[in-house]
Amino acid sequence: MVSSIMAAASKRPHRLKDAALRRLLSVVCVTLCGVLLLIFLLGSNSTSTIGTKDIDNADEGSVYHRDLKFTKWQSLPQQNDLSLRLEKLNGLPPRNLDLYPTLAKDPIIVVLYVHNRPQYLKIVVESLSRVVGINETLLIVSHDGYFEDMNKIIDGIRFCQVKQIYAPYSPHLFSSSFPGVSAGDCKEKDVASEKHCEGNPDQYGNHRSPKIVSLKHHWWWMMNTIWDGLRETREHSGHILFIEEDHFIFPNAYRNLQILTSLKPKKCPDCYAANLAPSDVNSRGEGWESLIAERMGNVGYSFNRTVWRKIHNKAREFCFFDDYNWDITMWATVYPSFGSPVYTLRGPRTSAVHFGKCGLHQGQGEKKACIDNGMVNIIVEDLDKFANIESDWEVHIYKNQPGYKAGFKGWGGWGDNRDRNLCLSFANMYHSIGTASPL
């Protein structure tokens, strides 16, 4: 009897220890679950304002994403979560396929590249909606950064197939590391050896400004991605039209461009491109009954894969020229390296107008709208509503046009070796495929 009581007594502590251990394990499990849930919620809230629907759609488009001819180079910066998410969105197929299941034969693809000027973008999209033939082609919108107001405007497009792509290495996506601002970066005219900071100054002694260098980075990333990366365009041998968020496009622009690109091989075989507008942004054209050949402008310009290959072959010249402007870099160093004048063919009457008077970081909200009403209320005459170029016109050539003289070294802003190397990395991202065609 006594031994049985003692045996029972000896088992009680073990039972108490087991019960305590079970309670401790339960508390630990609940705590771990709570911590994991908190980490997940914080991660979801801090990455971006991209909607869940967008990410779900990106998963559906993973086949497109994997199909990109893309190689991650070690020299590319470490991506954050937002950058990775946007890169995933780039793999989505075009929208509005239910409305426009097929494109017309040999379309001229339209690329609209934008930053963050929603007031401007509304005007451009509205003008595009009235372009005759826009429903026959694909509109690609290339974003420098992710901005919800810009996204909403593009989401509302119903007049054609539309595809959005986002520059995943835009400085606007990196708040604490290159290509954005890093804690140890030199600023303005800092001397690196004295401040113990990182960076290379430009030829004028100024260090990089991420918001400024994004202009050139976006254009170069976009060109490489459009021509050599995207499934929808990497085998396209015809012309691609490039416009910006402050270009008003006339209703006859697409039809006029179709005429120009068809006439170019015969009328101006040495022309590299076809433009919707004069190189002088203040000109509306001569109004003559003749075609015009002049230096390539930066408003509504189009060229084909053959020209892109020539440009791409000059990647080092482009990436190492000390000027943050992509267009001045092209005019001052890339085009002259071709060895002959780089002409573009256009009509005698403009089909696009540059209306922007705001800088890169203005016009970004309803209350901060920076738009000259006199310029935005562009008069579209009846002659601008239909094709107004005749195939039997002769070509008038402007042979001696003003430009950047030999020896011009650029306006600066592009001296940091990190920017130059990133630029070169963009040139090597994709395995180019496709066929070339005559100029």
Side-chain angles (χ1 to χ4, degrees), residues 370-386:
C370 171
I371 292 182
D372 179 351
N373 290 329
M375 286 297 292
V376 170
N377 295 329
I378 296 168
I379 298 174
V380 178
E381 300 179 6
D382 289 341
L383 196 57
D384 303 317
K385 296 179 181 179
F386 55 88

Side-chain angles (χ1 to χ4, degrees), residues 410-432:
W411 298 114
W414 192 264
D416 199 299
N417 287 335
R418 293 172 296 174
D419 288 314
R420 295 176 173 185
N421 290 328
L422 178 59
C423 179
L424 284 178
S425 296
F426 290 159
N428 295 321
M429 285 191 305
Y430 305 102
H431 300 290
S432 300

Side-chain angles (χ1 to χ4, degrees), residues 216 219-220 272 296 303 307-321 325-342 404 408 423:
K216 192 168 178 176
W219 190 86
W220 189 239
Y272 283 76
M296 193 187 303
F303 53 86
V307 175
W308 165 244
R309 290 266 65 84
K310 290 179 71 69
I311 294 172
H312 186 267
N313 287 339
K314 301 297 180 180
R316 191 164 189 85
E317 287 85 345
F318 181 88
C319 292
F320 278 78
F321 188 69
N325 299 284
W326 68 264
D327 48 0
I328 293 177
T329 299
M330 294 296 290
W331 288 327
T333 186
V334 175
Y335 295 150
S337 70
F338 289 172
S340 60
V342 177
Y404 293 94
F408 174 67
C423 179

Side-chain angles (χ1 to χ4, degrees), residues 110-112 121-135 139-141 154 157 159-160 241 243-244 247-251 253-254 276:
V110 181
V111 176
L112 168 61
L121 183 59
K122 289 176 184 177
I123 295 168
V124 176
V125 169
E126 180 65 22
S127 72
L128 281 172
S129 71
R130 295 189 172 94
V131 171
V132 179
I134 193 68
N135 60 316
L139 171 64
I140 298 175
V141 182
I154 304 303
I157 292 177
F159 51 79
C160 67
L241 170 66
I243 58 176
E244 296 188 51
H247 294 172
F248 184 96
I249 311 301
F250 287 4
Y254 190 76
L276 294 178

Side-chain angles (χ1 to χ4, degrees), residues 34-61:
V35 170
L36 290 173
L37 179 61
L38 180 61
I39 290 173
F40 173 78
L41 291 174
L42 288 174
S44 300
N45 290 333
S46 64
T47 52
S48 74
T49 58
I50 301 174
T52 304
K53 180 180 178 182
D54 291 329
I55 300 302
D56 291 341
N57 287 341
D59 291 333
E60 294 172 7

Side-chain angles (χ1 to χ4, degrees), residues 186 188-192 198-208 322 413-417 420:
C186 297
E188 298 179 351
K189 290 186 177 290
D190 284 348
V191 178
E198 184 177 6
N200 312 98
D202 65 12
Q203 60 189 306
Y204 304 106
N206 299 302
H207 285 277
R208 74 187 295 266
D322 188 10
W414 192 264
D416 199 299
N417 287 335
R420 295 176 173 185

